[in-house]
Amino acid sequence: MKFGSVTTPDLVDFTLPPDHPGTAKVLSGKKNLKKVYVGCAKWNKADLKKFYPKGVKDELAYYATQFNCIELNATFYSHFSEDQIEMWRTKVPEHFKFFPKVHQRISHIKRLNDVAESVAYYTEGIRAFKEKMGMVFLQLHDNFKPKTMDRLEQFCDLWPKDIPIAIELRNTEWFNDEVVAESVYQLFEQHRITNIITDTAGRRDLLHMRLTTPTAFVRYVGANHISDWSRMDDWLERIKTWVDGGLENLYFFVHQNLEKESPVLATKFIEMLNAAFGLEIKVPDRFSK
C-alpha cells in the first residue's frame, strides 16, 4: 500500500493519540468481546513472498488454513459472478470471513453521486458470500471532501441495513474541523456504520481514534521499518482499553508499503492477542513458535 508511505519513517512519531472522547459512548462499559479477525489484504504469492510452502497451487485454500479472514480488495476492481464467489466460499473453512471492498464505480468513479443502482448491483452480488462475509468496507478517495457531505448522507441512507459496513474517510478536512467531524460521527452512529481507523506513517490524522460502533476496524500499514513491530505493542494496549470498555468485535488487517512481512506481522499480532485475551486464534504454521 503506497498510501501514506514516507521515505524517512525514523522521523515519524508513531505514538497513538488518546481515545476520542466520543468513543466511550458507543461501548457498553462491560467486557463483551465476541469476534476477533486478523489477516492480510492479499492472498497471492507474488505479494506474500516466503509465506507459501513449495508446491502450494491453490493460494486461497492454503491462506485460509493459516488466517481467519482476508481484506478483499479485488471487489474494488471487479464484479465477480455468484459462481466465482461460491468457488471462493467452498475453498475456505467454516470460520473464515471475507471483508470485501466496495467497487470503485461507487466510491471513486461516481463518488457516491447517484449510486442507488450501483449499490443495488454490488450488494446483490456480494450476498453470495453468505455466512462467509464479515464486513464490507468503503474507501473514499483522499480528495473526497466534506463539501459533498450530502452524498455521504445519501449513501448511508440507501445502504442495505442487513449488510454491515465500515467507511474510511481519507481527506484531512473531515478531521480538522470539529463540527464536520462530529457530524460524520453522528451520521455513522445513526446508521450503525463502523468508522475505519488507518494507521500509516504519512497520514497520522487518520488516527482519529473515534469508534462509532462497538466494532474496531483497523487498517495497519507497516512502513517496512523496525517500528512496524513496536507499534503493535501500543495497539495491543489500546485494544485492551477498548475491550475493558465493551468492544465487541475487532477486525485488524495488516499491510505494508512494500509487502514483505505482512503475514509475519499479522502472525505476531495474533500471538499477542491470544496471550492477552485467552483466545485461540489459529497461529500460522510457518511462523508459530
Side-chain angles (χ1 to χ4, degrees):
M1 179 190 282
K2 295 181 180 179
F3 177 77
S5 63
V6 297
T7 56
T8 54
D10 283 319
L11 302 180
V12 176
D13 180 2
F14 285 108
T15 304
L16 294 182
D19 272 346
H20 188 287
T23 287
K25 74 175 185 177
V26 299
L27 301 178
S28 66
K30 300 178 181 179
K31 286 188 178 181
N32 191 27
L33 186 61
K34 298 175 180 177
K35 301 175 184 177
V36 178
Y37 288 92
V38 180
C40 301
K42 303 174 181 179
W43 70 59
N44 60 76
K45 288 182 180 178
D47 291 301
L48 302 189
K49 296 178 175 63
K50 299 181 180 180
F51 172 65
Y52 293 94
K54 291 182 179 179
V56 168
K57 296 181 179 179
D58 193 320
E59 297 164 3
L60 173 59
Y62 178 77
Y63 173 94
T65 66
Q66 304 302 300
F67 292 105
N68 64 4
C69 63
I70 184 75
E71 186 189 278
L72 189 60
N73 288 277
T75 52
F76 174 78
Y77 300 102
S78 302
H79 289 290
F80 294 93
S81 68
E82 184 175 345
D83 288 344
Q84 176 62 68
I85 293 175
E86 176 64 22
M87 184 180 298
W88 286 339
R89 288 181 64 253
T90 60
K91 289 182 178 183
V92 302
E94 181 179 356
H95 67 276
F96 190 89
K97 301 292 184 183
F98 294 90
F99 288 73
K101 188 175 183 178
V102 172
H103 195 275
Q104 62 182 335
R105 177 171 177 77
I106 297 169
S107 60
H108 285 53
I109 298 174
K110 301 199 76 173
R111 299 171 65 84
L112 302 190
N113 184 40
D114 189 23
V115 293
E117 185 176 338
S118 297
V119 167
Y121 182 74
Y122 173 79
T123 54
E124 180 182 2
I126 62 167
R127 287 185 188 279
F129 283 108
K130 300 179 181 177
E131 78 285 353
K132 299 291 178 64
M133 185 162 66
M135 175 176 276
V136 178
F137 74 103
L138 169 71
Q139 180 189 92
L140 290 164
H141 198 285
D142 55 3
N143 62 18
F144 185 89
K145 299 182 178 182
K147 65 182 180 180
T148 49
M149 178 72 173
D150 59 324
R151 297 185 189 180
L152 183 61
E153 292 171 340
Q154 291 166 11
F155 175 85
C156 293
D157 283 336
L158 65 85
W159 183 261
K161 302 310 177 190
D162 62 325
I163 300 178
I165 186 170
I167 294 180
E168 179 182 20
L169 295 168
R170 286 184 156 190
N171 189 276
T172 192
E173 291 184 17
W174 293 102
F175 312 109
N176 288 345
D177 187 313
E178 291 185 10
V179 174
V180 170
E182 191 56 35
S183 66
V184 171
Y185 303 148
Q186 290 180 6
L187 176 68
F188 287 1
E189 286 182 37
Q190 176 187 347
H191 292 278
R192 294 195 61 77
I193 291 172
T194 294
N195 196 20
I196 291 177
I197 300 173
T198 301
D199 183 352
T200 186
R203 287 297 305 275
R204 308 312 287 164
D205 58 313
L206 300 184
L207 283 167
H208 47 72
M209 291 300 169
R210 177 58 156 88
L211 303 184
T212 52
T213 69
T215 295
F217 192 124
V218 181
R219 306 184 77 223
Y220 179 90
V221 186
N224 299 98
H225 182 260
I226 192 171
S227 60
D228 294 355
W229 300 91
S230 58
R231 287 159 60 193
M232 287 190 164
D233 294 330
D234 291 340
W235 267 110
L236 182 65
E237 292 307 310
R238 183 57 52 91
I239 291 166
K240 286 180 180 178
T241 299
W242 288 343
V243 170
D244 288 342
L247 185 72
E248 296 179 9
N249 309 302
L250 171 64
Y251 307 143
F252 196 96
F253 296 98
V254 179
H255 304 245
Q256 279 189 305
N257 294 142
L258 296 174
E259 294 290 357
K260 293 183 177 182
E261 297 181 309
S262 290
V264 192
L265 286 164
T267 297
K268 176 62 177 177
F269 201 61
I270 289 171
E271 292 175 333
M272 294 167 68
L273 290 170
N274 282 347
F277 301 110
L279 304 175
E280 296 182 352
I281 303 173
K282 157 76 177 178
V283 178
D285 295 334
R286 301 194 72 207
F287 306 116
S288 58
K289 294 179 179 178

